[in-house]
Amino acid sequence: MFIEGLRRAKNKWRIVVGILMGLIIISLLLTFANFGNKVDSSGIAADSSPLGVAETTAENTASSAKAADGDMTVQGEAAAAYLSLAAYQNLYLEDPAESYEKALVYAKNMVEACGSVEDPDYETAYTYEISALAGIGDAEKLSAAFNESLSHVELSQGYLQTYAQAMMKLNANEQLITDLTAAQKQAAADSDKKSDNAENDEETAVSEEPQDLSSYIDTLITQAKEQ
């Protein structure tokens, strides 16, 4: 009877152990399944934070840009994505230097691509370049890019403000004043050309009145002097 009791106890223990092992295995399978849902196709855990999403977006647009060399829109999207990533890295107290460098590369690619399309968006391309150089902190190259853009961009208050804010942030006010003076002369020259063309073309439209633009440049110059 005693031996038979031991046998029954062992059988019951085996059943209990079997149930426990089954529960452990099920628990492990559920854990791995949950982990698998958080893993992307490359096998790396996906980061759903704003910074993680920005990193993924930048990487994806960079791949698209490499596959579409010379495409103005795609190059611009990559530049914008890396500028966005840099902004999040600043927010999360991470070093954004590499992102600004990559943004500059794609911004320059966009500027170059503008030269081979019927409807180039030079203002956006140079805005990306200016933003990237401002993030890098290179006032000299920033000034050079702006002066280069005067031959391609139809100046607007928004564009001038973007450049002025970038240069004042870098404390390059003297160079800013010089560049804005050049821009004012360029705006006057462009206005004269438009006026000549408008005499024989009623559909020719001026985006901003020349006196308004000149007055706005004067305001920016005054701000640069007072800062």
Side-chain angles (χ1 to χ4, degrees):
M1 292 292 294
F2 177 74
I3 294 175
E4 184 65 19
L6 287 177
R7 288 178 179 175
R8 290 178 180 177
K10 287 181 179 180
N11 289 335
K12 290 180 179 179
W13 177 248
R14 287 173 182 171
I15 292 172
V16 171
V17 171
I19 292 173
L20 289 174
M21 289 300 295
L23 291 173
I24 291 172
I25 292 172
I26 292 172
S27 178
L28 288 173
L29 289 174
L30 290 173
T31 299
F32 282 114
N34 184 55
F35 177 76
N37 290 333
K38 296 182 180 179
V39 177
D40 60 18
S41 59
S42 63
I44 302 175
D47 185 353
S48 60
S49 70
L51 178 59
V53 172
E55 289 175 345
T56 301
T57 301
E59 291 170 0
N60 290 340
T61 55
S63 297
S64 298
K66 290 177 182 178
D69 185 30
D71 187 307
M72 180 187 73
T73 301
V74 177
Q75 299 302 318
E77 288 174 349
Y82 275 105
L83 287 173
S84 178
L85 174 57
Y88 278 111
Q89 288 171 327
N90 277 316
L91 184 64
Y92 280 78
L93 302 180
E94 293 191 5
D95 184 6
E98 184 177 351
S99 295
Y100 280 123
E101 291 287 355
K102 290 182 177 180
L104 179 61
V105 170
Y106 292 112
K108 285 181 173 292
N109 288 348
M110 185 180 182
V111 170
E112 184 177 354
C114 282
S116 58
V117 297
E118 290 186 12
D119 188 19
D121 189 357
Y122 277 110
E123 181 173 346
T124 298
Y126 277 108
T127 296
Y128 289 156
E129 187 171 348
I130 286 171
S131 299
L133 287 168
I136 293 170
D138 194 326
E140 184 178 351
K141 290 183 179 179
L142 184 54
S143 173
F146 176 75
N147 283 286
E148 177 186 294
S149 75
L150 295 179
S151 301
H152 304 286
V153 176
E154 182 178 342
L155 295 177
S156 65
Q157 291 186 10
Y159 182 71
L160 291 167
Q161 183 182 40
T162 297
Y163 178 63
Q165 289 178 339
M167 289 294 277
M168 283 190 277
K169 184 178 180 180
L170 298 179
N171 296 317
N173 293 29
E174 291 186 8
Q175 184 60 53
L176 171 61
I177 292 169
T178 299
D179 294 343
L180 289 176
T181 301
Q184 199 167 39
K185 293 179 180 178
Q186 182 67 46
D190 290 343
S191 177
D192 291 340
K193 289 181 181 179
K194 286 183 179 180
S195 296
D196 292 340
N197 293 333
E199 291 180 0
N200 298 318
D201 186 0
E202 294 180 356
E203 295 181 359
T204 300
V206 179
S207 58
E208 291 186 38
E209 291 295 331
Q211 62 269 24
D212 292 340
L213 194 59
S214 178
S215 177
Y216 184 70
I217 293 174
D218 285 335
T219 300
L220 293 175
I221 291 175
T222 299
Q223 290 177 358
K225 288 179 178 179
E226 292 177 348
Q227 188 182 38

